[in-house]
Amino acid sequence: MSRPEIYVDANADAAAMRAAAETLTLIRRAVALRGRAAVALAGGTTPGVMYRHLAASGRAGAPWDQVDFFFGDERCVPSTSPHSNYAFARRELLDPLGIADTAVRRVETGISPAELAAEAYEACLRGYFGSLAAVFDLILLGVGADGHTASLFPGNTALDEVVRWVVVARAPAAYEVTERVTLTLPVLNQARAVFFLAAGAAKRAAVAGALDTPPAGAQAPAARVRPAGRLAWYLDRAAAGHLAP
Ligand code: 6PG
């Protein structure tokens, strides 16, 4: 595992623009090397600006027809729900780039109960990567103020899963959607690259908890994402706090 790369920009838009530019470069290199790129999209709202920058790069921005899209996690809601990570990505990134659903492998939240949806998504990943390991070229992640990432929340048993690639996870009751399906830490840590994007002072403590060394006490989920490949954090000054140069 290489040391985390930390990029701090003046504001959220600049951080998102830098993350988008690096994502385009990574996708071009992955496709040049292996013919295709497997990219897991982040949930939440922070990636929205970055998705818009990626979409603005247009069809020429990257070899989009050679990119296979996945999701790091999904809320157990219909794919048309405003809480759906798929719906958000489709609106902000996939539709503007004309990405067909054949290139998008989302969590089938119409399958119930959620455990069957998780099993179905894991079967989808195994069908794509083979059964040895799911090695994404890039996993995009956000971070919550409590240090969660994807749908791996502090104290959640999903954090300790070491065999399965996809599990059901429960967010704290304060969240509007508590039942989720998420990639597990082993999958996040097998990625060739993980890019975190965080903005705003509300994320400062979570960012520090993830990046301060040595990790203080029980590590927050985001602190446990230490991929075999690249780890990069794209931050605005508000989220970076003392990490800003
Ligand atoms: C989700 C995300 C989650 C998100 C953080 C930050 O499905 O909610 O995967 O991990 O990245 O909660 O969310 P914001 O970007 O909205 O602050």
Side-chain angles (χ1 to χ4, degrees):
M1 184 278 302
S2 48
R3 285 177 57 81
E5 302 163 41
I6 302 173
Y7 302 99
V8 181
D9 283 283
N11 55 57
D13 185 66
M17 194 178 292
R18 183 191 301 268
E22 193 54 43
T23 296
L24 293 173
T25 301
L26 183 148
I27 288 172
R28 291 188 205 106
R29 284 181 186 152
V31 171
L33 274 174
R34 288 177 289 277
R36 296 195 70 82
V39 176
L41 298 176
T45 55
T46 302
V49 179
M50 176 189 168
Y51 291 163
R52 288 193 284 278
H53 281 300
L54 288 174
S57 73
R59 295 294 300 176
W64 297 113
D65 290 341
Q66 282 72 50
V67 179
D68 296 304
F69 291 94
F70 300 79
F71 288 83
D73 70 321
E74 184 56 276
R75 294 84 175 271
C76 293
V77 295
S79 60
T80 53
S81 162
H83 297 294
S84 162
N85 288 334
Y86 164 78
F88 184 73
R90 175 116 329 261
R91 185 177 70 244
E92 301 296 340
L93 174 68
L94 302 171
D95 278 348
L97 283 173
I99 307 289
D101 253 352
T102 48
V104 181
R105 292 165 175 79
R106 64 182 176 83
V107 177
E108 295 293 343
T109 54
I111 298 174
S112 182
E115 175 55 34
L116 292 183
E119 290 173 10
Y121 202 50
E122 176 155 337
C124 169
L125 297 187
R126 289 180 183 275
Y128 180 87
F129 290 105
S131 279
L132 276 182
V135 181
F136 285 92
D137 292 289
L138 175 61
I139 298 179
L140 298 173
L141 291 173
V143 62
D146 61 358
H148 81 261
T149 190
S151 281
L152 299 172
F153 289 86
N156 193 301
T157 52
L159 260 178
D160 302 318
E161 178 59 49
V162 292
V163 174
R164 294 182 61 186
W165 297 2
V166 184
V167 294
V168 175
R170 191 161 296 282
Y175 283 77
E176 284 190 79
V177 179
T178 55
E179 192 169 53
R180 288 126 176 268
V181 169
T182 185
L183 298 184
T184 57
L185 266 181
V187 175
L188 303 185
N189 284 332
Q190 281 160 357
R192 293 189 177 97
V194 173
F195 290 175
F196 277 94
L197 184 63
K203 303 296 176 75
R204 183 173 301 181
V207 170
L211 289 172
D212 279 351
T213 52
Q219 291 178 304
R224 294 175 58 178
V225 177
R226 286 289 192 267
R230 281 182 66 188
L231 173 60
W233 283 74
Y234 297 89
L235 307 168
D236 68 356
R237 284 194 180 285
H242 70 280
L243 293 167

